[in-house]
Amino acid sequence: MTEYPFGVYSAFSDSAFGGCAAGILDQASELTGSEMLQIAREIGVPATCFITGISPTEVSVRFFSPLSEYPMCGHATIGLMTWLKERGFFIFDDNGVAHTGLSTPDTLTNVEVQQRKDGRIEVLLTLPPAEFVSAPVSSIELSQVLGIDSERLESNLEMTMTTTDFRSLLVPIDKVSDLEAVRPDFQGIQDLCRRTVMDTIFLFAPKDDDLANGVRCREFCPAVGTPESAASGTTNRSVSCYLYEQNRITKARDGVASLSISQGKEIGRPSNIKSVISLQDGQVNSVGIGGVATRVVNGTFFSPF
């Protein structure tokens, strides 16, 4: 048996059992992709981050759900950076800030870590702007798998699909009460996603009747291994870009606009996600997705690999 340093974190949550659970498995450079997938299935959380290399300037990783490999994972990145901070990886400047590169098989991304007065850190993962295509489904098709009348899916914003990292259908809803009323048919959602080549279905509604004040959201992901996500990093990046393009986020200051996002309440794992949109010449230049993580497991994973 091989022993791997291992932990589990509640990402996008200040407390245990909130947010989205992420596994961290260190010293994984010799594992194959199929072995990582089998370990991720055994761990069973929405995403497991496998650390394949660490240098003074970057950390190399691969992300897996119990079903497949992810190109990027926001909530597992939040957990990963907290794991690294607890092991003394970061050297903070006089303002309590540190940076590192996050290297996946396809990309190298900047991550900023801000040390708080209580000793914990807030993590901000920088991502490129999202891209969009037309929605491949109708509200009637969608209502059948969401267990809600199609009229309650109507909005003055149109559905769209992002193709960045994941193919996620973005579904604006006018009222939080309608968001809470959804009763998902997970098998039906999975079948619809596979038939229309989508990965997830993401619903969002305005907090306090104003999208500028933030959003409440739910994301259904059975096609990629998780029935409902308690916290979505990369998809919330896409929602932020979409709302800015639709002129629903108008309060920009010094080239930056921010959005507060709440998720996970309906499944008993409340999460808080911060989105920071960087602008250049009126266009989205990048999006930072941020939050904190709380350790819930720290130990050793024993594997035959």
Side-chain angles (χ1 to χ4, degrees), residues 223-234:
V224 293
T226 301
E228 180 170 354
S229 175
S232 308
T234 55

Side-chain angles (χ1 to χ4, degrees), residues 44-262:
V45 298
T48 296
C49 172
F50 293 85
I51 303 174
T52 58
I54 297 178
S55 76
T57 58
E58 68 182 60
V59 55
S60 298
V61 301
R62 294 177 72 176
F63 299 110
F64 282 81
S65 79
L67 191 62
S68 62
E69 184 168 9
Y70 286 165
M72 178 59 73
C73 183
H75 86 269
T77 298
I78 306 299
L80 166 66
M81 296 301 151
T82 307
W83 163 279
L84 293 172
K85 187 268 179 184
E86 292 171 349
R87 283 150 184 79
F89 175 78
F90 296 109
I91 299 175
F92 295 94
D93 64 19
D94 293 340
N95 296 316
V97 177
H99 293 86
T100 191
L102 177 70
S103 177
T104 69
D106 296 321
T107 62
L108 177 62
T109 304
N110 179 65
V111 182
E112 178 182 289
V113 178
Q114 172 75 60
Q115 191 161 28
R116 304 194 316 192
K117 291 182 180 179
D118 61 4
R120 301 183 68 176
I121 59 169
E122 292 186 356
V123 181
L124 195 69
L125 169 66
T126 300
L127 298 168
E131 298 177 355
F132 303 97
V133 296
S134 299
V137 297
S138 68
S139 59
I140 293 176
E141 290 178 285
L142 201 57
S143 68
Q144 294 171 350
V145 299
L146 295 179
I148 188 172
D149 292 339
S150 59
E151 291 81 5
R152 299 177 78 175
L153 295 176
E154 293 179 356
S155 171
N156 53 10
L157 291 174
E158 294 185 357
M159 291 191 298
T160 188
M161 187 167 73
T162 176
T163 59
T164 313
D165 292 330
F166 298 93
R167 294 176 62 84
S168 298
L169 181 70
L170 307 186
V171 185
I173 295 178
D174 287 340
K175 297 179 181 179
V176 167
S177 58
D178 290 337
L179 184 77
E180 295 173 333
V182 168
R183 297 295 180 265
D185 171 4
F186 293 116
Q187 185 60 55
I189 291 172
Q190 179 171 304
D191 293 342
L192 177 64
C193 285
R194 290 180 174 172
R195 187 170 67 250
T196 56
V197 197
M198 298 189 301
D199 293 316
T200 74
I201 297 175
F202 188 98
L203 281 61
F204 61 97
K207 291 181 184 178
D208 305 322
D209 299 320
D210 186 351
L211 288 165
N213 293 331
V215 298
R216 277 271 306 277
C217 60
R218 301 179 70 178
E219 185 172 32
F220 304 111
C221 322
V224 293
T226 301
E228 180 170 354
S229 175
S232 308
T234 55
T235 316
N236 274 305
R237 170 266 308 267
S238 299
V239 170
S240 300
C241 290
Y242 175 72
L243 290 176
Y244 180 78
E245 290 181 2
Q246 297 298 316
N247 296 315
R248 299 308 173 97
I249 303 176
T250 56
K251 297 178 181 178
R253 182 177 180 181
D254 298 329
V256 172
S258 298
L259 184 68
S260 172
I261 302 155
S262 299

